[in-house]
Amino acid sequence: MTFRLYDTATREVRDFVPLEEGKVGLYVCGLTVQSEPHVGHVRSGVNFDVLQRWLRHLGYDVTFIRNITDIDDKILIKSAEHGRPWYNLAYAMHRELDKAYDALNVAPPTYEPAATGHVPEMVELITELIGRGHAYPAEDGSGDVYFDVRSWPSYGELTHQGVDDMEPAADADPRGKRDPRDFALWKGWKKETEPETAAWPSPWGPGRPGWHIECSAMAGKYLGPAFDIHGGGVDLRFPHHENEQAQSRAAGRPFATYWMHNAWITTAGEKMSKSLGNSLTIPAVLEKYRGIDLRFYLVAAHYRSHVEFSFEALEEAAAGFARIESFLQRAGADETADGQLPQAFVDAMNDDLGTPAAVAVLYDAVREGNRLLAAGDDATAVAASVDAMLDVLGLHPADPAWAGSGSSAQDGKLRSAVDVLVAGLLAERAAARKAKDWARADAIRDQIKEAGIEVEDTPAGPKWSID
RNA sequence: GGUGGGUUGGCCGAGAGGCGAGGCAACGGACUGCAAAUCCGUGUACACGGGUUCAAAUCCCGUACCCACCUCCA
């Protein structure tokens, strides 16, 4: 089976055919760095990371561009509220985002361009659009430049909407627009309210980029006029992606061949951005849960399915993942073994990244491996296969990428210290068991458990682990 | 008003006309001094009402409820 993808533009699962054999150009809309990243934000990161890894597994040479938007209205407003320069806020949040990605083993893209570094490319694109009659400088002297929606007949094609059916924005600022649906490509500098550092020179006077033009310009620069896959969250379909496509095509660039959109994570039925809380920011969640558990939770759901986030569900996922890890430990993974991916796993992944079915295959393998171990047989081949599956999902516990979240050198030292202490108690318990003094043996086990350490008797002797 | 998505067992979460994805939890059994871990087994779930079909959670019609987007939210 070849790799197939659900394409939002055509609303169907299509065979993936790259523009150039063996190569994939992938563009994903990253974040506007205006606040700490939350669980919803990283879902997109994890989803597209899985896509990237799978494409690489399939042998594609992937150029993956994921931008960040480091200047916009909200950044300016928030930074003013906090009394810090906008670029300082954007930079700080950008660093937080990188930390969150690292904690979830989201591999860096080929490049992560920032909007503010690509003003010349945007100016060039806007100039081209004006030249072709698809954009115009506002007539009110504001310095804004708008895209002329009416001049582009296929506007609305990505989201299958007719221009006349669109609800005119309630908050649309009509200043200088020919049609309320026209959108800003360039925003003139507002001297009175905006810092001078937030304005760049342009043929239309000082100003800053409109949101949509950034992505068109950056995708064009790094991936060329036509590329394979464009991704982002569902909320970006309209207006952001619709506008990106319109302005790119209006400038004579074919743009993306496939559109992928990941669904939401909600809490209490509400979209995360609307619902309160700092309790769901990545730093906060990572205080209680490991990054690998959170990633597993996210990967176990299909990227196009809505997920209702709950800590209970996260805990269930973590419990399940613990079983996988414990199998690998018991099987004694052979690092040299070149694990094969089961065909069912490959088929699941090829079918629009069917990670839920892929995870089911993973569990099947774990059960089979445990069965072999219970029968006293060799399970290293199965373990190698489990290794391979976890690897391609970015979930391998031994991946050094996880080092920062839970198993540092410090932990190692602590562990060996505890080991010495527990070993003494276990020797005492062993003596009691030998004398069939079960009460004494159980008392020792309970004592150890009081300290939060679980003791298991295995054929190879007692083992302890921290709860 | 326009566009799209959803409602699956105690819980999470797949599937998209016919064999009960998978996980978590629960219960029974094996193993164990007892546990733990592990394995084996146990569930007649698909919002509601009609219809199509030999066969519907899956297709069609209708109803209810929920959600997203409609110009700078992943």
Side-chain angles (χ1 to χ4, degrees):
Chain A
M1 195 209 283
T2 51
F3 182 47
R4 305 171 76 225
L5 269 182
Y6 180 84
D7 175 19
T8 313
T10 56
R11 297 176 183 164
E12 57 187 10
V13 178
R14 298 166 45 197
D15 284 353
F16 177 70
V17 182
L19 292 170
E20 192 180 337
E21 207 184 320
K23 293 191 175 180
V24 175
L26 169 63
Y27 187 91
V28 172
C29 288
L31 298 191
T32 298
V33 281
Q34 46 138 336
S35 56
E36 283 194 316
H38 57 59
V39 177
H41 292 136
V42 294
R43 180 184 197 187
S44 167
V46 168
N47 285 156
F48 289 105
D49 184 51
V50 169
L51 171 68
Q52 173 189 206
R53 286 171 192 261
W54 188 245
L55 288 169
R56 294 221 153 94
H57 168 81
L58 292 175
Y60 288 109
D61 177 7
V62 182
T63 302
F64 175 24
I65 303 299
R66 185 186 60 216
N67 78 292
I68 64 147
T69 295
D70 56 349
I71 180 76
D72 89 318
D73 291 353
K74 282 187 185 163
I75 291 174
L76 289 173
I77 292 166
K78 282 203 179 181
S79 60
E81 281 170 8
H82 293 260
R84 60 203 284 199
W86 63 269
Y87 44 84
N88 172 254
L89 174 72
Y91 181 54
M93 291 306 126
H94 184 184
R95 284 163 50 96
E96 282 299 324
L97 178 62
D98 282 346
K99 270 196 249 173
Y101 283 146
D102 284 347
L104 287 174
N105 194 17
V106 171
T110 307
Y111 186 52
E112 188 175 52
T116 53
H118 298 77
V119 172
E121 287 81 0
M122 297 180 216
V123 168
E124 189 187 328
L125 180 54
I126 296 169
T127 305
E128 171 83 23
L129 286 169
I130 293 175
R132 286 174 176 247
H134 295 300
Y136 58 93
E139 284 134 28
D140 62 358
S142 63
D144 290 356
V145 179
Y146 297 111
F147 183 84
D148 185 349
V149 165
R150 296 279 174 190
S151 78
W152 188 245
S154 50
Y155 186 74
E157 64 180 332
L158 179 63
T159 48
H160 307 94
Q161 302 178 85
V163 178
D164 296 313
D165 292 330
M166 290 175 198
E167 191 174 79
D171 64 336
D173 185 354
R175 40 160 223 239
K177 285 187 184 178
R178 290 179 188 166
D179 185 294
R181 294 162 193 85
D182 290 352
F183 55 91
L185 298 171
W186 185 257
K187 309 180 82 156
W189 180 37
K190 299 185 195 71
K191 268 196 183 90
E192 325 75 47
T193 55
E194 295 177 0
E196 197 172 355
T197 51
W200 286 260
S202 86
W204 318 284
R208 58 188 166 93
W211 182 33
H212 318 297
I213 199 73
E214 299 169 8
C215 290
S216 291
M218 292 188 276
K221 172 158 181 145
Y222 299 106
L223 297 173
F227 58 95
D228 300 293
I229 305 170
H230 189 130
V234 275
D235 59 328
L236 299 182
R237 276 178 312 190
F238 192 89
H240 188 52
H241 290 337
E242 185 73 66
N243 291 353
E244 272 185 55
Q245 185 175 75
Q247 69 206 174
S248 295
R249 290 193 172 166
R253 308 175 178 184
F255 217 52
T257 4
Y258 298 84
W259 286 90
M260 282 179 77
H261 295 278
N262 64 275
W264 290 117
I265 290 193
T266 57
T267 30
E270 272 191 89
K271 193 171 153 180
M272 232 171 235
S273 58
K274 281 182 185 163
S275 55
L276 51 143
N278 37 23
S279 65
L280 293 172
T281 63
I282 297 304
V285 172
L286 291 181
E287 274 177 28
K288 294 207 68 179
Y289 298 89
R290 300 184 304 164
I292 200 169
D293 288 332
L294 179 55
R295 181 175 174 112
F296 180 70
Y297 174 56
L298 295 174
V299 167
H302 189 80
Y303 76 91
R304 282 196 283 125
S305 291
H306 165 113
V307 167
E308 169 71 19
F309 181 88
S310 74
F311 285 105
E312 291 73 20
L314 176 53
E315 258 162 48
E316 282 184 9
F321 193 71
R323 206 174 111 221
I324 297 169
E325 287 182 284
S326 120
F327 163 66
L328 285 180
Q329 255 179 9
R330 301 198 316 136
D334 177 3
E335 295 302 332
T336 60
D338 189 17
Q340 293 297 303
L341 293 178
Q343 191 55 45
F345 181 92
V346 173
D347 289 347
M349 291 299 284
N350 274 337
D351 186 11
D352 192 29
L353 297 181
T355 52
V359 167
V361 175
L362 182 58
Y363 274 116
D364 286 341
V366 167
R367 199 183 322 108
E368 174 59 20
N370 277 327
R371 193 182 290 136
L372 290 171
L373 288 176
D377 293 332
D378 176 54
T380 48
V382 178
S385 166
V386 168
D387 269 344
M389 289 187 268
L390 289 173
D391 223 23
V392 84
L393 294 174
L395 282 166
H396 203 295
D399 191 325
W402 299 113
S405 59
S407 56
S408 59
Q410 183 81 19
D411 286 352
K413 281 184 190 169
L414 214 54
R415 215 181 158 75
S416 51
V418 171
D419 196 40
V420 171
L421 297 172
V422 172
L425 291 165
L426 286 180
E428 227 183 292
R429 176 167 172 266
R433 292 183 73 204
K434 199 165 182 189
K436 296 204 193 293
D437 181 357
W438 309 125
R440 175 77 189 129
D442 289 352
I444 295 170
R445 187 170 59 195
D446 288 347
Q447 185 194 344
I448 299 173
K449 196 183 169 89
E450 287 280 303
I453 292 167
E454 195 80 45
V455 173
E456 296 170 31
D457 293 317
T458 75
K463 272 180 52 183
W464 65 268
S465 56
I466 295 176
D467 259 344

